[in-house]
Amino acid sequence: MQIRNWDDYQNNYQKSVEDPEKFWGEIADQFIWKKPYKKVLDWDFETPSIKWFEGGSLNITENCLDRHVKTHPNKKAIIWEPNDPNDDGLTWTYQELYNEVCSFANVLKKHGVVKGDRVCLYMPMVPQLAVAVLACARIGAVHSVVFAGFSAQSLADRIDDAKCKLIVTTDGAFRGQKEIPIKGIVDEAVSKCDCVEKIIVFKRTEQYVSMTAQRDVWWHEEMENASTDCPAEEMESEDMLFILYTSGSTGKPKGVVHTCGGYMVYSHYSFTNVFQYEADDIYWCTADIGWITGHSYIVYGPLLAGATTLMFEGIPTWPDAGRFWAICDKYKVNQFYTAPTAIRSLMSKGLEPVARYSLNSLKVIGSVGEPINEEAWRWYNTYIGKNKCPIVDTWWQTETGGIMISPIPNVTDIRPTYATYPLPGIQPILLDKDGNEIKENNVEGLLCIKFPWPSIVRTLYGDHERLKQTYFSTFKGYYFTGDGAKRDTQGRYRIIGRVDDVINVSGHRMGTAEVENAINEHPWVVESAVVGYPHDIKGQGIYAYIIPDRHIESEQAFIDEVNETVRKEIGPIAKPDIIQVVSGLPKTRSGKIMRRILRKIASGDISTLGDTSTLLNPDIVEEIIEKSPMIKK
Ligand code: PRX
């Protein structure tokens, strides 16, 4: 169902609120179901228990592949652009992708993977990652993709939490000029887990890797004789499709669970509407499949729509800062979807790398992952969209599975830096801190959703109670997003950012507690406190205050060591941008760290620190301000 104009939007929105079951039922009927569903929706936000399309059974890959193979087998499904522009890329038609997926599904089966088993995918952006995702779905195995920038320890935690019995990985990865030893990281992770029985390794870089007999096998050898015939496993609508770990406000990442039927319906519906995809368009999302954006808008959404989706292995700044634009021109990309941090980083390189390219194939450009600041929005609009491409500033979360609030190009209006209106089917509301609904416009509040949508998170793997506590207990009867938002006089939303102890670094969610736990692994650290602060490129940077247990001779050497500890515990993305060694942290009399004060200092603003005299240790504030690199003296 594609919404084409404003009346259409309004009618659909109204229908979706008045009769959600009819609204979603009609959309769901456009898919192939092995068995029709009996009930569109059954829900309560108390337990919470949310079930979509119960009684129905399906396989998402039949909807991504088989039905398109029937109608347009030779249409390009995936275009892959390698890290090095001088290397050969790759294109798979729907027929070819189908063959790859079925073959690899048979490989998984041969190695004992059955419906319900968890399979960890730890791979860089090679097209085989998309194949592995779909192959799992084909046989009903639950994929848990772990972003290949996470450290061995983080990977081990995720493998262990989901008890994955098989891992699919690569020998190495190319990222710009770097070559990363992926298999070595997997080996280290696996040495910390008991559950892994097999590792399948795709050869990408040809670097030497050690292969453990009986346990490790090569992708290319396994695929040689694998049959392309693999019937799609029949899945109940509410069977698990995948787990994706994301950070929360406690130290332990949460395994967000999405299920087959609802996720299929919503990822397709949101993709076609937000990008206004037309049959021959080339669509490109620059995210990594290791994040939800890659799941929903590189793999599932586009393939469900029978689209051509581009996958890029490299980074925006290599060989130079024109790489994104070179790719747009090379493949005549029509829809381009990226993150504000990438826009800001490219903006800082000046206009020369942009001016070399025409970019005239672009029709819609998008932004996701964090609030986009006005300057970046205007630059994107002027130099990339050339004032003719609607910018879709899409707000959503790992837990929502798909885009929730976003302009619909040429249908709803655009306001710079605003995600604007909810898609039909989505019912956002703003609450004040006491949980009262703010009904007027031109207000600010806590963003909640009051009615389920098909791709809402169903549970946190192994911890349903945490799901309830995190999202459904702060405000009874509502899904709480953890974000604050404004609503303008026209009812359009602008997302301000997180209101919990989660920071958003370059569009990646990071729990402050998680980073603190990593820092505290350094043997000299007594205590640490991590806060976010405004960062020109990353949106938010990580600022860590650390108390060591001894006199530090060389602060820089200590800081380097702490950084290395964080890299090992989580990965390079979690390394603090600023580390300040302190002798104490401001605390309340009950011993709680006053993060508000630390956040103010980190943002360089000490004009509104408030009354610090009631602190347990008021003098420490002066000391911290004195030594903070953010405070101009
Ligand atoms: O704070 C919001 C921010 O990213 C958070 C979700 O992060 P994650 O689950 O990693 O998913 C990122 C990709 C969907 C949200 O709670 N966020 C996401 N999109 C936007 C945004 N903030 C402002 N504007 C957006 N368009």
Side-chain angles (χ1 to χ4, degrees):
M1 193 234 3
Q2 208 157 346
I3 299 159
R4 296 295 191 177
N5 55 52
W6 177 239
D7 278 350
D8 215 11
Y9 171 83
Q10 285 184 305
N11 292 338
N12 274 295
Y13 195 86
Q14 201 179 348
K15 186 168 145 192
S16 78
V17 174
E18 285 169 2
D19 195 348
E21 297 207 27
K22 183 157 187 281
F23 176 80
W24 288 114
E26 282 172 14
I27 295 173
D29 287 344
Q30 297 161 18
F31 295 85
I32 302 173
W33 295 85
K34 283 179 182 287
K35 222 167 44 207
Y37 50 83
K38 295 208 171 67
K39 185 153 177 34
V40 173
L41 172 64
D42 186 28
W43 70 290
D44 84 81
F45 275 176
E46 193 68 32
T47 311
S49 160
I50 304 142
K51 294 186 175 134
W52 283 91
F53 312 114
E54 252 192 309
S57 68
L58 72 146
N59 187 291
I60 195 168
T61 69
E62 282 190 330
N63 287 281
C64 288
L65 300 171
D66 304 49
R67 63 174 170 159
H68 305 311
V69 167
K70 280 203 189 97
T71 55
H72 47 264
N74 299 321
K75 180 171 176 178
K76 291 173 185 164
I78 294 182
I79 298 175
W80 178 70
E81 167 74 7
N83 179 59
D84 186 332
N86 298 314
D87 284 353
D88 289 338
L90 176 153
T91 300
W92 278 327
T93 62
Y94 271 89
Q95 180 70 58
E96 288 165 333
L97 179 61
Y98 172 90
N99 291 348
E100 293 289 323
V101 169
C102 288
S103 304
F104 193 64
N106 282 324
V107 171
L108 291 174
K109 280 208 263 192
K110 175 183 148 197
H111 289 288
V113 179
V114 297
K115 179 175 173 176
D117 282 346
R118 275 81 54 217
V119 172
C120 175
L121 311 180
Y122 185 76
M123 301 169 87
M125 284 287 283
V126 288
Q128 287 73 16
L129 171 53
V131 169
V133 162
L134 295 165
C136 288
R138 186 83 180 169
I139 62 171
V142 176
H143 55 78
S144 165
V145 185
V146 177
F147 173 61
F150 278 116
S151 68
Q153 184 58 51
S154 290
L155 174 61
D157 292 344
R158 286 158 175 76
I159 292 170
D160 195 47
D161 188 75
K163 296 278 174 277
C164 296
K165 77 179 207 198
L166 187 142
I167 304 177
V168 188
T169 189
T170 63
D171 50 355
F174 293 123
R175 265 182 79 75
Q177 274 169 304
K178 288 196 203 130
E179 208 177 303
I180 299 150
I182 298 289
K183 174 64 163 55
I185 298 170
V186 171
D187 288 339
E188 193 186 330
V190 170
S191 71
K192 301 170 198 269
C193 316
D194 303 326
C195 49
V196 178
E197 294 165 18
K198 288 274 170 190
I199 303 178
I200 303 178
V201 189
F202 176 76
K203 206 176 251 187
R204 171 64 187 117
T205 58
E206 309 266 338
Q207 67 195 83
Y208 171 78
V209 296
S210 86
M211 297 288 278
T212 302
Q214 314 302 327
R215 189 195 68 183
D216 302 353
V217 295
W218 288 107
W219 173 294
H220 60 274
E221 289 178 3
E222 296 297 311
M223 287 288 268
E224 243 164 46
N225 300 315
S227 156
T228 55
D229 180 19
C230 180
E233 186 75 35
E234 181 165 349
M235 305 296 287
E236 297 300 317
S237 180
E238 281 300 332
D239 278 345
M240 241 190 283
L241 175 63
F242 66 84
I243 305 171
L244 184 58
Y245 286 88
T246 186
S247 296
S249 46
T250 69
K252 195 172 169 280
K254 305 177 278 200
V256 170
V257 170
H258 285 290
T259 55
C260 297
Y263 180 83
M264 170 178 76
V265 169
Y266 199 79
S267 56
H268 181 191
Y269 161 81
S270 52
F271 172 77
T272 42
N273 280 301
V274 170
F275 298 102
Q276 290 288 304
Y277 184 84
E278 303 285 340
D280 294 320
D281 287 346
I282 307 289
Y283 161 87
W284 179 22
C285 165
T286 70
D288 191 292
I289 294 177
W291 311 110
I292 191 68
T293 308
H295 282 60
S296 302
Y297 300 113
I298 295 178
V299 183
Y300 286 114
L303 295 177
L304 283 163
T308 302
T309 176
L310 199 153
M311 253 182 99
F312 173 45
E313 184 183 38
I315 56 171
T317 47
W318 191 81
D320 61 50
R323 188 70 193 278
F324 272 3
W325 322 128
I327 297 174
C328 285
D329 274 11
K330 178 174 174 187
Y331 297 103
K332 310 236 173 324
V333 169
N334 302 109
Q335 290 90 4
F336 174 77
Y337 190 29
T338 196
T341 187
I343 299 167
R344 286 190 298 263
S345 130
L346 296 176
M347 189 169 91
S348 74
K349 311 280 185 208
L351 285 176
E352 189 279 325
V354 184
R356 280 185 256 144
Y357 303 99
S358 88
L359 300 178
N360 58 17
S361 55
L362 292 175
K363 296 197 286 193
V364 173
I365 57 178
S367 163
V368 59
E370 50 174 316
I372 182 165
N373 50 310
E374 179 115 15
E375 197 191 352
W377 194 98
R378 300 227 173 261
W379 187 88
Y380 199 30
N381 187 45
T382 309
Y383 300 108
I384 307 306
K386 318 267 192 204
N387 294 305
K388 68 174 173 52
C389 301
I391 297 182
V392 288
D393 176 355
T394 63
W395 173 83
W396 58 297
Q397 309 178 299
T398 305
E399 297 85 342
T400 70
I403 295 167
M404 304 283 281
I405 305 183
S406 167
I408 300 179
N410 309 314
V411 170
T412 62
D413 59 4
I414 302 277
R415 177 171 178 189
T417 79
Y418 276 66
T420 70
Y421 296 112
L423 298 191
I426 304 304
Q427 301 186 34
I429 56 163
L430 295 179
L431 301 183
D432 66 20
K433 61 179 179 3
D434 301 318
N436 304 309
E437 181 170 355
I438 310 171
K439 293 218 165 91
E440 318 75 73
N441 280 341
N442 204 11
V443 288
E444 190 175 317
L446 300 164
L447 181 64
C448 292
I449 317 285
K450 69 172 173 195
F451 195 83
W453 61 99
S455 60
I456 184 174
V457 53
R458 299 301 198 273
T459 191
L460 297 178
Y461 192 76
D463 198 350
H464 197 70
E465 182 57 26
R466 189 169 174 202
L467 176 88
K468 181 174 176 166
Q469 290 308 326
T470 313
Y471 308 99
F472 297 95
S473 298
T474 319
F475 303 112
K476 289 265 175 302
Y478 302 110
Y479 167 85
F480 177 43
T481 66
D483 281 325
K486 282 185 177 164
R487 189 168 54 217
D488 73 4
T489 52
Q490 316 287 307
R492 296 173 298 200
Y493 288 88
R494 180 182 204 284
I495 313 306
I496 303 164
R498 307 286 311 188
V499 295
D500 51 10
D501 287 326
V502 170
I503 48 186
N504 193 327
V505 185
S506 302
H508 301 316
R509 222 155 114 173
M510 203 67 68
T512 52
E514 210 178 330
V515 184
E516 286 163 10
N517 288 350
I519 291 172
N520 298 349
E521 285 298 310
H522 189 287
W524 294 4
V525 174
V526 178
E527 195 176 11
S528 61
V530 164
V531 296
Y533 74 99
H535 187 288
D536 283 348
I537 306 280
K538 297 178 173 185
Q540 278 190 299
I542 302 178
Y543 193 126
Y545 299 88
I546 301 185
I547 310 175
D549 69 352
R550 63 196 73 192
H551 173 71
I552 303 291
E553 287 296 332
S554 160
E555 253 185 35
Q556 193 51 51
F558 175 58
I559 288 171
D560 292 346
E561 277 186 33
V562 170
N563 269 319
E564 183 53 23
T565 308
V566 175
R567 199 188 58 75
K568 272 194 128 157
E569 289 294 315
I570 305 178
I573 49 174
K575 275 198 309 200
D577 298 276
I578 299 175
I579 291 181
Q580 183 177 352
V581 179
V582 295
S583 68
L585 292 166
K587 288 192 177 166
T588 62
R589 288 188 189 278
S590 60
K592 221 174 128 224
I593 298 173
M594 286 291 281
R595 285 168 189 281
R596 191 182 54 77
I597 293 177
L598 295 176
R599 274 196 288 267
K600 287 268 175 205
I601 298 173
S603 68
D605 169 21
I606 48 170
S607 59
T608 52
L609 280 187
D611 182 11
T612 53
S613 63
T614 55
L615 292 175
L616 193 64
N617 48 355
D619 296 345
I620 201 69
V621 177
E622 270 314 305
E623 182 203 306
I624 294 176
I625 292 174
E626 187 57 37
K627 283 180 63 190
S628 169
M630 297 301 283
I631 310 292
K632 297 200 177 55
K633 315 279 170 352

